[in-house]
Coordinates of all heavy atoms in Angstrom, one line a residue:
M1 N 11.6 22.1 6.1 CA 12.1 20.7 6.2 C 11.8 20.0 4.9 O 10.6 20.0 4.4 CB 11.5 20.0 7.4 CG 12.3 18.8 7.8 SD 11.7 18.2 9.4 CE 12.9 16.9 9.7
K2 N 12.7 19.3 4.3 CA 12.5 18.7 3.0 C 11.8 17.4 3.2 O 12.0 16.6 4.1 CB 13.9 18.3 2.4 CG 13.9 18.1 0.9 CD 15.3 17.9 0.4 CE 15.3 16.7 -0.5 NZ 16.7 16.3 -0.8
T3 N 10.8 17.1 2.3 CA 10.0 15.9 2.4 C 10.7 14.9 1.5 O 11.0 15.1 0.3 CB 8.6 16.1 1.9 OG1 8.0 17.2 2.6 CG2 7.8 14.9 2.0
T4 N 11.0 13.7 2.1 CA 11.7 12.7 1.3 C 10.6 11.8 0.7 O 9.5 11.7 1.1 CB 12.6 11.8 2.2 OG1 11.8 11.2 3.2 CG2 13.6 12.7 2.9
V5 N 11.1 11.0 -0.3 CA 10.2 10.0 -0.9 C 9.7 9.0 0.2 O 8.5 8.6 0.2 CB 10.9 9.2 -2.0 CG1 10.1 8.0 -2.5 CG2 11.3 10.1 -3.2
N6 N 10.6 8.7 1.0 CA 10.3 7.7 2.1 C 9.2 8.3 3.0 O 8.2 7.5 3.3 CB 11.5 7.5 2.9 CG 11.4 6.3 3.9 OD1 10.7 5.4 3.6 ND2 11.9 6.5 5.1
D7 N 9.2 9.6 3.3 CA 8.2 10.2 4.1 C 6.8 10.1 3.4 O 5.8 9.9 4.0 CB 8.5 11.6 4.4 CG 9.5 11.7 5.6 OD1 9.7 10.7 6.3 OD2 10.0 12.8 5.8
S8 N 6.8 10.4 2.1 CA 5.6 10.4 1.4 C 5.0 9.0 1.3 O 3.7 8.9 1.3 CB 5.7 11.0 0.0 OG 6.4 10.2 -0.9
R9 N 5.8 8.0 1.2 CA 5.3 6.6 1.2 C 4.7 6.3 2.5 O 3.6 5.7 2.6 CB 6.4 5.6 0.8 CG 6.7 5.6 -0.6 CD 7.9 4.7 -0.9 NE 8.1 4.6 -2.3 CZ 9.3 4.2 -2.9 NH1 10.3 3.9 -2.1 NH2 9.4 4.0 -4.2
L10 N 5.4 6.7 3.5 CA 4.9 6.4 4.9 C 3.5 7.2 5.1 O 2.6 6.7 5.7 CB 5.9 6.9 5.9 CG 5.9 6.1 7.2 CD1 6.1 4.6 7.0 CD2 7.0 6.7 8.1
K11 N 3.5 8.4 4.6 CA 2.3 9.2 4.7 C 1.1 8.6 4.0 O 0.0 8.5 4.5 CB 2.5 10.6 4.2 CG 3.1 11.6 5.1 CD 2.8 13.0 4.8 CE 3.4 14.0 5.8 NZ 4.8 14.1 5.7
K12 N 1.4 8.0 2.8 CA 0.4 7.3 2.0 C -0.1 6.1 2.8 O -1.3 5.9 2.9 CB 0.9 6.9 0.7 CG -0.1 6.3 -0.2 CD -1.1 7.3 -0.7 CE -2.2 6.6 -1.6 NZ -3.3 7.5 -1.8
A13 N 0.8 5.4 3.4 CA 0.4 4.2 4.2 C -0.5 4.6 5.4 O -1.5 4.0 5.7 CB 1.6 3.5 4.7
Q14 N -0.1 5.7 6.0 CA -0.9 6.2 7.2 C -2.3 6.7 6.7 O -3.3 6.5 7.4 CB -0.1 7.4 7.8 CG 1.0 6.9 8.7 CD 2.0 8.0 9.1 OE1 1.9 9.1 8.6 NE2 2.8 7.7 10.1
E15 N -2.3 7.3 5.5 CA -3.6 7.8 5.0 C -4.5 6.6 4.7 O -5.7 6.7 5.0 CB -3.2 8.5 3.6 CG -4.4 9.3 3.0 CD -4.0 9.8 1.6 OE1 -2.9 10.5 1.6 OE2 -4.6 9.5 0.6
I16 N -4.0 5.6 4.1 CA -4.7 4.4 3.8 C -5.2 3.7 5.1 O -6.4 3.4 5.3 CB -3.9 3.4 3.0 CG1 -3.6 3.9 1.6 CG2 -4.6 2.0 2.9 CD1 -2.6 3.1 0.9
A17 N -4.3 3.7 6.1 CA -4.7 3.0 7.4 C -5.7 3.8 8.1 O -6.5 3.3 8.9 CB -3.4 2.9 8.2
S18 N -5.8 5.1 7.9 CA -6.8 6.0 8.6 C -8.1 6.0 7.9 O -9.1 6.4 8.5 CB -6.3 7.4 8.8 OG -6.2 8.0 7.5
N19 N -8.2 5.5 6.7 CA -9.4 5.4 5.9 C -9.5 4.2 5.1 O -9.6 4.2 3.8 CB -9.6 6.7 5.1 CG -10.9 6.8 4.4 OD1 -11.9 6.3 5.0 ND2 -11.0 7.5 3.3
P20 N -9.4 3.0 5.7 CA -9.3 1.7 5.0 C -10.5 1.4 4.1 O -10.4 0.7 3.1 CB -9.1 0.7 6.1 CG -9.7 1.3 7.3 CD -9.5 2.8 7.2
V21 N -11.7 2.0 4.4 CA -12.9 1.6 3.6 C -12.8 2.2 2.2 O -13.6 1.9 1.3 CB -14.2 2.1 4.3 CG1 -14.4 1.3 5.6 CG2 -14.2 3.6 4.6
A22 N -11.9 3.2 2.0 CA -11.7 3.7 0.6 C -10.8 2.9 -0.3 O -10.5 3.3 -1.4 CB -11.2 5.2 0.7
Y23 N -10.3 1.8 0.3 CA -9.3 1.0 -0.4 C -9.6 -0.5 -0.4 O -10.5 -0.9 0.5 CB -7.9 1.2 0.2 CG -7.5 2.7 0.1 CD1 -7.7 3.5 1.2 CD2 -6.8 3.2 -1.0 CE1 -7.4 4.9 1.1 CE2 -6.4 4.5 -1.1 CZ -6.7 5.4 0.0 OH -6.3 6.7 -0.1
K24 N -8.9 -1.3 -1.2 CA -9.1 -2.7 -1.1 C -7.7 -3.3 -1.5 O -6.9 -2.7 -2.1 CB -10.2 -3.2 -2.0 CG -10.1 -2.7 -3.4 CD -11.4 -3.1 -4.2 CE -11.4 -2.5 -5.6 NZ -12.7 -2.8 -6.3
V25 N -7.6 -4.6 -1.1 CA -6.3 -5.3 -1.4 C -6.5 -6.3 -2.5 O -7.4 -7.1 -2.5 CB -5.8 -6.0 -0.1 CG1 -4.5 -6.8 -0.4 CG2 -5.6 -5.1 1.1
C26 N -5.6 -6.2 -3.5 CA -5.6 -7.1 -4.6 C -5.3 -8.6 -4.2 O -4.3 -8.7 -3.5 CB -4.6 -6.7 -5.7 SG -4.5 -7.9 -7.1
E27 N -6.1 -9.5 -4.5 CA -5.8 -10.9 -4.2 C -4.7 -11.5 -5.0 O -4.1 -12.5 -4.6 CB -7.1 -11.8 -4.4 CG -8.2 -11.4 -3.5 CD -8.1 -12.0 -2.1 OE1 -7.0 -12.4 -1.7 OE2 -9.2 -12.0 -1.4
G28 N -4.4 -10.9 -6.1 CA -3.3 -11.4 -7.0 C -1.9 -11.0 -6.6 O -1.0 -11.8 -6.6
C29 N -1.7 -9.7 -6.2 CA -0.4 -9.2 -6.0 C -0.3 -8.5 -4.7 O 0.8 -7.9 -4.4 CB 0.1 -8.4 -7.1 SG -0.8 -6.8 -7.3
D30 N -1.4 -8.4 -3.9 CA -1.3 -7.7 -2.6 C -1.1 -6.2 -2.6 O -0.8 -5.6 -1.7 CB -0.3 -8.3 -1.6 CG -0.7 -9.7 -1.2 OD1 -1.9 -10.0 -1.2 OD2 0.2 -10.5 -0.8
S31 N -1.4 -5.6 -3.8 CA -1.3 -4.2 -3.9 C -2.6 -3.6 -3.3 O -3.6 -4.2 -3.2 CB -1.3 -3.7 -5.4 OG -0.2 -4.1 -6.0
I32 N -2.5 -2.4 -2.8 CA -3.6 -1.6 -2.3 C -4.1 -0.7 -3.5 O -3.3 0.0 -4.0 CB -3.3 -0.8 -1.1 CG1 -2.9 -1.8 0.0 CG2 -4.5 0.0 -0.7 CD1 -2.4 -1.0 1.3
V33 N -5.4 -0.8 -3.8 CA -5.9 0.0 -4.9 C -7.1 0.7 -4.3 O -7.7 0.3 -3.3 CB -6.3 -0.8 -6.1 CG1 -5.1 -1.6 -6.7 CG2 -7.4 -1.8 -5.8
G34 N -7.6 1.8 -5.0 CA -8.8 2.5 -4.6 C -10.0 1.6 -4.7 O -10.0 0.8 -5.6
I35 N -11.0 1.9 -3.9 CA -12.2 1.1 -3.8 C -12.9 1.1 -5.1 O -13.6 0.1 -5.5 CB -13.1 1.5 -2.6 CG1 -14.1 0.5 -2.3 CG2 -13.7 2.9 -2.9 CD1 -13.6 -0.7 -1.6
Q36 N -12.8 2.1 -5.9 CA -13.5 2.3 -7.2 C -12.8 1.6 -8.3 O -13.4 1.5 -9.4 CB -13.8 3.8 -7.5 CG -12.5 4.5 -8.0 CD -11.6 5.0 -6.9 OE1 -11.7 4.6 -5.8 NE2 -10.6 5.8 -7.3
S37 N -11.6 1.1 -8.2 CA -10.9 0.4 -9.2 C -11.6 -0.9 -9.6 O -12.0 -1.7 -8.7 CB -9.5 0.1 -8.8 OG -8.8 1.3 -8.6
V38 N -11.7 -1.2 -10.9 CA -12.4 -2.4 -11.3 C -11.4 -3.6 -11.4 O -11.6 -4.7 -11.0 CB -13.1 -2.2 -12.7 CG1 -13.7 -3.5 -13.2 CG2 -14.1 -1.1 -12.5
T39 N -10.2 -3.2 -12.0 CA -9.1 -4.2 -12.1 C -7.8 -3.6 -11.5 O -7.7 -2.4 -11.4 CB -8.8 -4.6 -13.5 OG1 -8.4 -3.4 -14.3 CG2 -10.0 -5.3 -14.2
C40 N -6.9 -4.5 -11.1 CA -5.7 -4.1 -10.4 C -4.8 -3.4 -11.5 O -4.5 -4.1 -12.5 CB -5.0 -5.3 -9.8 SG -3.4 -4.9 -9.2
P41 N -4.2 -2.2 -11.2 CA -3.3 -1.6 -12.2 C -2.0 -2.3 -12.3 O -1.3 -2.2 -13.3 CB -3.1 -0.2 -11.7 CG -3.5 -0.2 -10.3 CD -4.5 -1.4 -10.1
N42 N -1.6 -3.2 -11.4 CA -0.3 -3.9 -11.4 C -0.4 -5.2 -12.1 O 0.4 -5.5 -13.0 CB 0.2 -4.1 -10.0 CG 0.6 -2.8 -9.3 OD1 1.1 -1.9 -10.0 ND2 0.3 -2.7 -8.1
C43 N -1.4 -6.0 -11.7 CA -1.5 -7.4 -12.3 C -2.8 -7.7 -13.1 O -3.0 -8.8 -13.5 CB -1.3 -8.4 -11.1 SG -2.8 -8.5 -10.1
H44 N -3.6 -6.6 -13.2 CA -4.9 -6.7 -13.9 C -5.8 -7.8 -13.3 O -6.7 -8.3 -14.0 CB -4.6 -7.0 -15.4 CG -3.7 -6.0 -16.0 ND1 -4.1 -4.7 -16.2 CD2 -2.4 -6.1 -16.4 CE1 -3.0 -4.0 -16.7 NE2 -2.0 -4.8 -16.8
G45 N -5.6 -8.1 -12.1 CA -6.5 -9.0 -11.4 C -7.8 -8.3 -11.1 O -7.9 -7.1 -11.1
Y46 N -8.9 -9.1 -10.8 CA -10.2 -8.5 -10.5 C -10.7 -9.0 -9.2 O -11.9 -8.8 -8.9 CB -11.1 -8.7 -11.7 CG -11.3 -10.1 -12.1 CD1 -12.2 -11.0 -11.5 CD2 -10.5 -10.7 -13.1 CE1 -12.3 -12.3 -11.9 CE2 -10.6 -12.0 -13.5 CZ -11.5 -12.8 -12.9 OH -11.6 -14.1 -13.2
R47 N -9.9 -9.7 -8.5 CA -10.4 -10.2 -7.2 C -9.7 -9.4 -6.1 O -8.5 -9.2 -6.0 CB -10.0 -11.7 -7.0 CG -10.8 -12.6 -7.9 CD -10.2 -14.0 -7.8 NE -10.2 -14.6 -6.5 CZ -11.2 -15.3 -5.9 NH1 -12.3 -15.5 -6.6 NH2 -11.2 -15.7 -4.7
F48 N -10.6 -8.8 -5.2 CA -10.1 -7.9 -4.2 C -10.6 -8.3 -2.8 O -11.8 -8.8 -2.7 CB -10.5 -6.5 -4.5 CG -9.9 -6.0 -5.8 CD1 -10.6 -6.0 -6.9 CD2 -8.6 -5.5 -5.8 CE1 -10.1 -5.5 -8.1 CE2 -8.0 -5.0 -7.0 CZ -8.8 -5.1 -8.1
D49 N -9.9 -8.0 -1.8 CA -10.3 -8.2 -0.4 C -10.7 -6.8 0.1 O -9.8 -6.0 0.2 CB -9.3 -8.9 0.4 CG -9.8 -9.3 1.8 OD1 -10.8 -8.7 2.3 OD2 -9.1 -10.2 2.4
V50 N -11.9 -6.6 0.5 CA -12.3 -5.3 1.0 C -12.4 -5.2 2.5 O -12.8 -4.2 3.1 CB -13.7 -4.8 0.4 CG1 -13.7 -4.7 -1.1 CG2 -14.8 -5.8 0.8
D51 N -11.9 -6.2 3.2 CA -11.9 -6.2 4.6 C -11.0 -5.1 5.1 O -9.8 -5.1 4.9 CB -11.4 -7.6 5.1 CG -11.4 -7.7 6.6 OD1 -11.6 -6.7 7.3 OD2 -11.0 -8.8 7.1
P52 N -11.5 -4.1 5.9 CA -10.7 -3.0 6.3 C -9.5 -3.4 7.2 O -8.4 -2.8 7.1 CB -11.7 -2.1 7.2 CG -13.0 -2.5 6.7 CD -12.9 -4.0 6.3
T53 N -9.6 -4.5 7.9 CA -8.5 -5.0 8.7 C -7.4 -5.4 7.9 O -6.2 -5.1 8.1 CB -9.0 -6.2 9.6 OG1 -10.1 -5.8 10.3 CG2 -7.9 -6.6 10.6
R54 N -7.7 -6.1 6.8 CA -6.7 -6.6 5.8 C -6.0 -5.4 5.1 O -4.8 -5.3 4.9 CB -7.3 -7.5 4.8 CG -6.5 -7.9 3.6 CD -5.9 -9.3 3.8 NE -4.9 -9.6 2.8 CZ -5.2 -10.2 1.6 NH1 -6.4 -10.6 1.3 NH2 -4.2 -10.4 0.8
V55 N -6.8 -4.3 4.8 CA -6.3 -3.1 4.1 C -5.3 -2.4 5.1 O -4.2 -2.1 4.6 CB -7.4 -2.2 3.7 CG1 -6.9 -0.9 3.2 CG2 -8.3 -2.8 2.7
V56 N -5.7 -2.3 6.3 CA -4.8 -1.6 7.3 C -3.5 -2.4 7.5 O -2.4 -1.8 7.4 CB -5.5 -1.4 8.6 CG1 -4.5 -0.9 9.7 CG2 -6.6 -0.4 8.5
D57 N -3.6 -3.7 7.6 CA -2.4 -4.6 7.8 C -1.5 -4.4 6.6 O -0.3 -4.3 6.8 CB -2.8 -6.0 7.9 CG -3.3 -6.4 9.3 OD1 -3.2 -5.5 10.2 OD2 -3.8 -7.5 9.5
Q58 N -2.1 -4.4 5.4 CA -1.3 -4.4 4.2 C -0.6 -3.0 4.0 O 0.5 -2.9 3.6 CB -2.2 -4.7 3.0 CG -1.4 -5.0 1.7 CD -0.5 -6.2 1.8 OE1 -0.8 -7.1 2.6 NE2 0.5 -6.2 1.0
A59 N -1.3 -1.9 4.4 CA -0.8 -0.6 4.3 C 0.4 -0.5 5.2 O 1.5 0.1 4.8 CB -1.9 0.4 4.7
I60 N 0.3 -1.0 6.4 CA 1.4 -0.9 7.4 C 2.6 -1.8 6.9 O 3.7 -1.3 6.9 CB 0.9 -1.4 8.8 CG1 -0.1 -0.4 9.4 CG2 2.1 -1.6 9.7 CD1 -0.8 -0.9 10.6
Y61 N 2.3 -2.9 6.4 CA 3.3 -3.8 5.8 C 4.1 -3.2 4.7 O 5.3 -3.2 4.6 CB 2.7 -5.1 5.4 CG 3.6 -6.0 4.7 CD1 4.6 -6.7 5.3 CD2 3.5 -6.2 3.3 CE1 5.5 -7.6 4.7 CE2 4.4 -7.0 2.6 CZ 5.4 -7.7 3.3 OH 6.2 -8.5 2.6
L62 N 3.3 -2.6 3.7 CA 3.9 -2.0 2.6 C 4.8 -0.7 3.0 O 5.9 -0.5 2.5 CB 2.9 -1.5 1.5 CG 2.2 -2.7 0.8 CD1 1.1 -2.1 -0.1 CD2 3.1 -3.5 0.0
G63 N 4.2 0.1 3.9 CA 4.9 1.2 4.4 C 6.3 0.8 5.0 O 7.3 1.4 4.8
A64 N 6.2 -0.2 5.9 CA 7.4 -0.7 6.6 C 8.4 -1.3 5.6 O 9.6 -1.1 5.7 CB 7.0 -1.7 7.6
R65 N 7.9 -2.1 4.6 CA 8.8 -2.7 3.6 C 9.5 -1.7 2.8 O 10.7 -1.8 2.5 CB 8.0 -3.7 2.8 CG 8.9 -4.6 2.0 CD 8.1 -5.5 1.1 NE 7.4 -4.7 0.1 CZ 6.7 -5.3 -0.9 NH1 6.6 -6.6 -1.0 NH2 6.0 -4.5 -1.8
K66 N 8.8 -0.7 2.3 CA 9.3 0.4 1.5 C 10.4 1.1 2.2 O 11.5 1.4 1.7 CB 8.3 1.3 1.0 CG 7.2 0.7 0.1 CD 7.5 1.0 -1.4 CE 6.7 0.2 -2.3 NZ 5.2 0.5 -2.3
Q67 N 10.1 1.4 3.5 CA 11.1 2.1 4.3 C 12.4 1.3 4.5 O 13.5 1.8 4.3 CB 10.5 2.4 5.7 CG 11.4 3.2 6.6 CD 10.7 3.5 7.9 OE1 9.9 2.7 8.4 NE2 11.0 4.6 8.6
T68 N 12.2 0.0 4.7 CA 13.4 -0.9 4.9 C 14.2 -0.9 3.6 O 15.4 -0.9 3.6 CB 12.9 -2.3 5.2 OG1 12.1 -2.2 6.4 CG2 14.1 -3.2 5.5
S69 N 13.5 -1.0 2.4 CA 14.3 -1.2 1.2 C 15.0 0.1 0.8 O 16.1 0.0 0.3 CB 13.3 -1.6 0.0 OG 12.8 -0.5 -0.6
V70 N 14.4 1.3 1.1 CA 15.1 2.5 0.9 C 16.3 2.6 1.8 O 17.4 3.0 1.3 CB 14.2 3.7 1.1 CG1 14.9 5.0 1.1 CG2 13.1 3.8 0.0
T71 N 16.2 2.2 3.0 CA 17.3 2.3 4.0 C 18.4 1.4 3.5 O 19.6 1.8 3.5 CB 16.8 1.9 5.4 OG1 15.7 2.7 5.7 CG2 17.9 2.1 6.4
S72 N 18.1 0.2 3.1 CA 19.2 -0.7 2.7 C 19.8 -0.3 1.4 O 21.0 -0.4 1.2 CB 18.6 -2.2 2.6 OG 17.6 -2.2 1.6
E73 N 19.1 0.4 0.5 CA 19.7 1.0 -0.7 C 20.7 2.1 -0.3 O 21.7 2.2 -0.9 CB 18.6 1.5 -1.6 CG 18.0 0.4 -2.5 CD 16.8 1.0 -3.3 OE1 16.7 2.2 -3.5 OE2 16.0 0.1 -3.7
D74 N 20.3 2.9 0.6 CA 21.1 4.0 1.1 C 22.5 3.5 1.6 O 23.5 4.1 1.5 CB 20.4 4.8 2.2 CG 19.3 5.7 1.6 OD1 19.3 5.8 0.4 OD2 18.5 6.2 2.4
M75 N 22.4 2.3 2.2 CA 23.6 1.8 2.9 C 24.6 1.1 1.9 O 25.8 0.9 2.2 CB 23.2 0.7 3.9 CG 22.7 1.4 5.2 SD 21.7 0.2 6.2 CE 22.9 -1.1 6.5
V76 N 24.2 0.8 0.7 CA 25.0 0.2 -0.3 C 26.1 1.1 -0.8 O 25.8 2.2 -1.1 CB 24.2 -0.4 -1.5 CG1 25.1 -0.9 -2.6 CG2 23.3 -1.5 -1.1
Ligands
LIG101 ZN1 -2.8 -7.0 -8.4

Protein backbone atom coordinates (compact mmCIF):
# COMPACT_ATOMS: atom_id res chain seq x y z
CA MET A 1 0.00 0.00 0.00
CA LYS A 2 1.36 3.39 -1.00
CA THR A 3 2.09 5.87 1.77
CA THR A 4 0.82 9.34 0.97
CA VAL A 5 2.22 12.64 2.23
CA ASN A 6 -1.00 13.09 4.10
CA ASP A 7 -0.50 9.79 5.93
CA SER A 8 3.03 10.69 6.96
CA ARG A 9 1.87 14.06 8.32
CA LEU A 10 -0.83 12.34 10.28
CA LYS A 11 1.68 9.76 11.53
CA LYS A 12 3.98 12.57 12.66
CA ALA A 13 1.11 14.19 14.53
CA GLN A 14 0.30 10.86 16.19
CA GLU A 15 3.97 10.35 17.05
CA ILE A 16 4.10 13.78 18.71
CA ALA A 17 0.82 13.17 20.54
CA SER A 18 2.09 9.85 21.87
CA ASN A 19 5.31 11.39 23.22
CA PRO A 20 4.57 15.08 23.93
CA VAL A 21 7.41 15.51 26.45
CA ALA A 22 9.90 15.28 23.55
CA TYR A 23 8.39 18.40 21.92
CA LYS A 24 7.37 21.96 22.69
CA VAL A 25 5.15 24.56 21.05
CA CYS A 26 6.59 27.84 19.73
CA GLU A 27 4.86 30.85 21.32
CA GLY A 28 5.55 32.91 18.20
CA CYS A 29 4.10 30.78 15.40
CA ASP A 30 2.57 27.71 17.12
CA SER A 31 4.98 25.32 15.40
CA ILE A 32 5.93 22.12 17.17
CA VAL A 33 9.68 21.77 17.58
CA GLY A 34 11.92 19.21 19.28
CA ILE A 35 12.48 19.77 22.99
CA GLN A 36 16.22 20.26 22.37
CA SER A 37 15.73 23.15 19.92
CA VAL A 38 17.01 26.49 21.24
CA THR A 39 15.21 28.67 18.69
CA CYS A 40 12.25 28.06 16.41
CA PRO A 41 13.35 27.03 12.87
CA ASN A 42 10.32 28.85 11.41
CA CYS A 43 10.22 32.23 13.16
CA HIS A 44 13.49 32.15 15.15
CA GLY A 45 11.52 32.71 18.34
CA TYR A 46 12.92 31.52 21.62
CA ARG A 47 9.79 31.33 23.75
CA PHE A 48 8.20 27.89 23.97
CA ASP A 49 5.35 26.23 25.83
CA VAL A 50 6.47 22.82 27.14
CA ASP A 51 3.06 21.88 28.56
CA PRO A 52 2.40 18.34 27.19
CA THR A 53 -1.34 19.07 26.97
CA ARG A 54 -0.66 22.05 24.70
CA VAL A 55 1.75 19.98 22.58
CA VAL A 56 -0.84 17.22 22.09
CA ASP A 57 -3.59 19.74 21.25
CA GLN A 58 -1.34 21.46 18.73
CA ALA A 59 -0.22 18.17 17.14
CA ILE A 60 -3.83 17.12 16.62
CA TYR A 61 -4.74 20.58 15.30
CA LEU A 62 -1.84 20.66 12.83
CA GLY A 63 -2.52 17.08 11.69
CA ALA A 64 -6.18 17.88 11.09
CA ARG A 65 -5.45 21.20 9.37
CA LYS A 66 -2.86 19.69 7.01
CA GLN A 67 -5.28 16.91 6.13
CA THR A 68 -8.02 19.43 5.37
CA SER A 69 -5.77 21.60 3.21
CA VAL A 70 -4.52 18.62 1.16
CA THR A 71 -8.11 17.47 0.64
CA SER A 72 -9.28 20.90 -0.51
CA GLU A 73 -6.30 21.17 -2.90
CA ASP A 74 -7.24 17.79 -4.38
CA MET A 75 -10.73 19.06 -5.06
CA VAL A 76 -9.64 22.15 -7.03
ZN1 LIG B 1 8.05 29.87 15.75
